[in-house]
Amino acid sequence: MSDYNFAYLDEQTKRMIRRAILKGVAIPGYQVPFASREMPMPYGWGTGGVQVTAACLVPEDRLKVIDQGADDTTNAVSIRRFFQKTAGVEVTEATAEATIIQTRHRIPETPLTEGQIFVYQVPIPEPLRFLEPRETETRRMHELEEYGLMHVKLYEDIARHGTIATSYDYPVRVEGRYVMDPSPIPKFDNPKLSGNPALQLFGAGREQRIYALPPYSQVVSLDFEDHPFVASKAEHDCDLCGAADSYLDEVITDDQGNRMFVCSDTDYCRGRRAAGQVGRLGGEAA
Amino acid sequence: MISQALGGGFADAPIQSARAFRAALEAMARPGRILTVEGVAPPAPLSIGAGVLLLTLCDRTTPLHLAPGHDAPEIRDWITFHTGAPLVTPGAAAFALGRWEALQPVTRFRIGQPDYPDRSATLIVEMDALTNDGAILTGPGIETTARLSLPELAAFRLNRDIFPLGYDTFFTSGDKIAGLPRSTRVEAG
């Protein structure tokens, strides 16, 4: 073990966060204020998610951390090491083996299961913030279910671009009540929010908010009858594993205009290639 | 008497309260699910389940109401020593502890404000038994339906009707706990 208190935070802080999480779970989609602490990493690096994860961890947990779907980027690696050091928990890159998954901006392709807790790092938790900067006003709008402004924003997308151009951070309505910001996940992931067997928790450190989606919560992406919500992705297959159904990153490969598309979910892509699936460039890259 | 108040807490608070919170979280996130907790030995008639919840969630910042039957000197001393929670009247309480009859009328407890529905009470209701029969539960956290032996239907139905306001409830019996958030709809089983 380390010389840190279990999972870094002191007990008083964990109790405060735990109470906020429970209220968040009881009021799906409502942002519960909490006294966010300074963490040994800058705001914007997942301090909200880290505090929620720290409050939920038990020694028996196996933790997975992803950053834009990848297990091996700086943010994911450093948070994983942080909890290895301060909580002594096991870590994994396999979605199916993890009991807690902390994520920055993706939901894995492998479906989540009942035993899992899924923790989002949230930069701006208030879906109405860019439309109405005053907290007093947005709070009142949530109170009165006054969400017309959100639809005006989507309508302006249609008026300007002919289609709803919002491609990530796509607003949702939870259980017919609160409009919620699902964090900047691509709208491709929005359908996975609804009816998910895992417990989904959201932590915004700088903005000091925690909110939650209990398992199997009904989550609807906002849209119009004549412009229904579409979970879009790049019109390609993964160039490494050939997956047609996974969310893709576009990678520029040289200065001749060549590019490749690869799964953003590194664990999913690796799993498919290990099972013998090969994409357009899969042979060369391997 | 004092020495009794000093004992019976978590031996390893960071680890044991973490496990206890996971059980509490599971209970609140999946209404109707009955979980087992451990690690405390509170004075009678306080159950292990209620003792674990108090030590995991309460501290000096959470005013606690003890309903008649649980408002005994041994319990007060034990809670004060282990949590420091101020003991208050129902209207000021963040948490309330007692048997269902003793907590009546539950309309005295805080249900939050329209702009801050989280500023509401959490009830810890001591039960003789906790079983998966009786009332039918539906709502967030429940795939189809769940069943839980609730002490009453009308109060919880009223509590659901005022959503997003309302109180949230833990039920405890021995070392078992279950949860009923305000979002759950209850029907006669």
Side-chain angles (χ1 to χ4, degrees):
Chain A
M1 261 314 276
S2 64
D3 294 320
Y4 292 97
N5 190 37
F6 178 71
Y8 185 77
L9 295 171
D10 61 278
E11 292 306 297
Q12 172 97 7
T13 297
K14 279 192 270 184
R15 275 192 297 272
M16 174 271 296
I17 296 171
R18 285 165 178 165
R19 290 191 296 263
I21 293 173
L22 289 177
K23 286 298 174 193
V25 166
I27 318 166
Y30 167 75
Q31 304 161 48
V32 183
F34 80 111
S36 178
R37 300 296 195 243
E38 294 231 7
M39 298 301 285
M41 60 193 74
Y43 288 131
W45 285 72
T47 54
V50 164
Q51 290 178 78
V52 170
T53 299
C56 290
L57 272 181
V58 295
E60 297 76 29
D61 270 323
R62 206 173 301 116
L63 177 70
K64 171 182 164 84
V65 185
I66 52 175
D67 172 7
Q68 302 276 17
D71 291 278
D72 54 2
T73 55
T74 311
N75 199 191
V77 169
S78 60
I79 291 174
R80 207 159 50 223
R81 288 206 186 135
F82 174 75
F83 282 117
Q84 275 180 299
K85 187 169 185 178
T86 61
V89 292
E90 281 189 50
V91 296
T92 180
E93 295 192 2
T95 303
E97 286 172 15
T99 52
I100 293 193
I101 302 173
Q102 183 172 328
T103 180
R104 176 174 173 273
H105 312 352
R106 267 317 305 279
I107 302 175
E109 310 294 352
T110 308
L112 302 176
T113 57
E114 278 239 342
Q116 294 177 315
I117 296 178
F118 196 63
V119 181
Y120 295 78
Q121 302 172 195
V122 182
I124 307 287
E126 177 50 71
L128 302 162
R129 182 60 68 234
F130 291 109
L131 307 168
E132 170 52 66
R134 289 167 294 181
E135 167 70 10
T136 47
E137 286 302 306
T138 53
R139 190 159 284 281
R140 177 63 53 84
M141 289 155 83
H142 283 294
E143 172 187 339
L144 300 174
E145 294 184 65
E146 181 52 68
Y147 294 130
L149 198 56
M150 201 79 246
H151 273 100
V152 170
K153 194 236 176 212
L154 296 176
Y155 171 74
E156 282 180 353
D157 264 14
I158 295 169
R160 227 174 269 156
H161 308 286
T163 171
I164 298 177
T166 305
S167 58
Y168 63 96
D169 237 341
Y170 194 102
V172 296
R173 187 126 193 213
V174 181
E175 289 283 332
R177 182 57 181 82
Y178 285 99
V179 164
M180 186 192 93
D181 186 320
S183 86
I185 57 171
K187 68 176 171 183
F188 174 80
D189 283 340
N190 268 28
K192 301 176 196 165
L193 293 164
S194 190
N196 199 316
L199 169 62
Q200 301 174 78
L201 302 174
F202 299 76
R206 182 189 49 221
E207 303 292 323
Q208 314 199 316
R209 295 290 185 275
I210 286 171
Y211 50 106
L213 292 175
Y216 308 110
S217 293
Q218 192 205 20
V219 181
V220 178
S221 302
L222 300 182
D223 62 359
F224 299 96
E225 277 176 22
D226 52 345
H227 284 274
F229 172 80
V230 180
S232 60
K233 67 182 270 286
E235 292 292 329
H236 289 271
D237 295 346
C238 173
D239 282 330
L240 293 180
C241 77
D245 57 351
S246 83
Y247 191 74
L248 302 173
D249 288 337
E250 183 178 2
V251 183
I252 307 292
T253 50
D254 57 24
D255 59 359
Q256 309 298 312
N258 287 315
R259 61 196 58 202
M260 67 188 292
F261 288 89
V262 295
C263 291
S264 121
D265 185 337
T266 52
D267 171 55
Y268 182 72
C269 198
R270 186 170 39 238
R272 279 179 55 88
R273 277 185 288 158
Q277 310 272 6
V278 181
R280 185 173 64 94
L281 303 171
E284 302 168 35
Chain B
M1 289 313 271
I2 287 295
S3 62
Q4 196 192 350
L6 303 188
F10 286 132
D12 183 358
I15 303 289
Q16 286 177 302
S17 63
R19 291 191 184 121
F21 171 69
R22 275 292 272 278
L25 179 61
E26 187 78 1
M28 203 49 97
R30 300 176 197 276
R33 191 163 291 195
I34 297 171
L35 295 116
T36 306
V37 293
E38 58 176 15
V40 305
L46 196 53
S47 68
I48 293 172
V52 163
L53 288 175
L54 291 171
L55 263 54
T56 305
L57 298 174
C58 294
D59 52 37
R60 280 167 299 170
T61 65
T62 57
L64 170 69
H65 173 68
L66 299 178
H70 282 77
D71 194 10
E74 310 84 66
I75 293 182
R76 256 181 275 156
D77 289 346
W78 189 79
I79 289 172
T80 301
F81 176 75
H82 288 283
T83 73
L87 303 176
V88 297
T89 54
F95 287 86
L97 168 72
R99 295 182 60 82
W100 183 247
E101 313 81 64
L103 288 166
Q104 301 303 317
V106 284
T107 47
R108 296 175 298 168
F109 296 105
R110 294 201 319 220
I111 54 171
Q113 304 149 221
D115 50 348
Y116 286 98
D118 57 300
R119 294 177 182 174
S120 56
T122 301
L123 312 184
I124 300 172
V125 181
E126 295 264 44
M127 311 268 286
D128 290 328
L130 213 45
T131 54
N132 284 122
D133 53 28
I136 297 171
L137 317 181
T138 54
I142 304 167
E143 188 172 12
T144 51
T145 59
R147 299 185 80 127
L148 190 63
S149 50
L150 300 181
E152 169 183 350
L153 286 182
F156 295 107
R157 221 180 253 154
L158 184 67
N159 195 43
R160 177 62 183 84
D161 285 345
I162 57 172
F163 185 87
L165 300 180
Y167 49 80
D168 307 302
T169 311
F170 282 110
F171 298 100
T172 56
S173 176
D175 60 358
K176 302 279 187 265
I177 66 168
L180 192 78
R182 67 191 79 178
S183 59
T184 304
R185 283 171 285 272
V186 299
E187 289 166 57

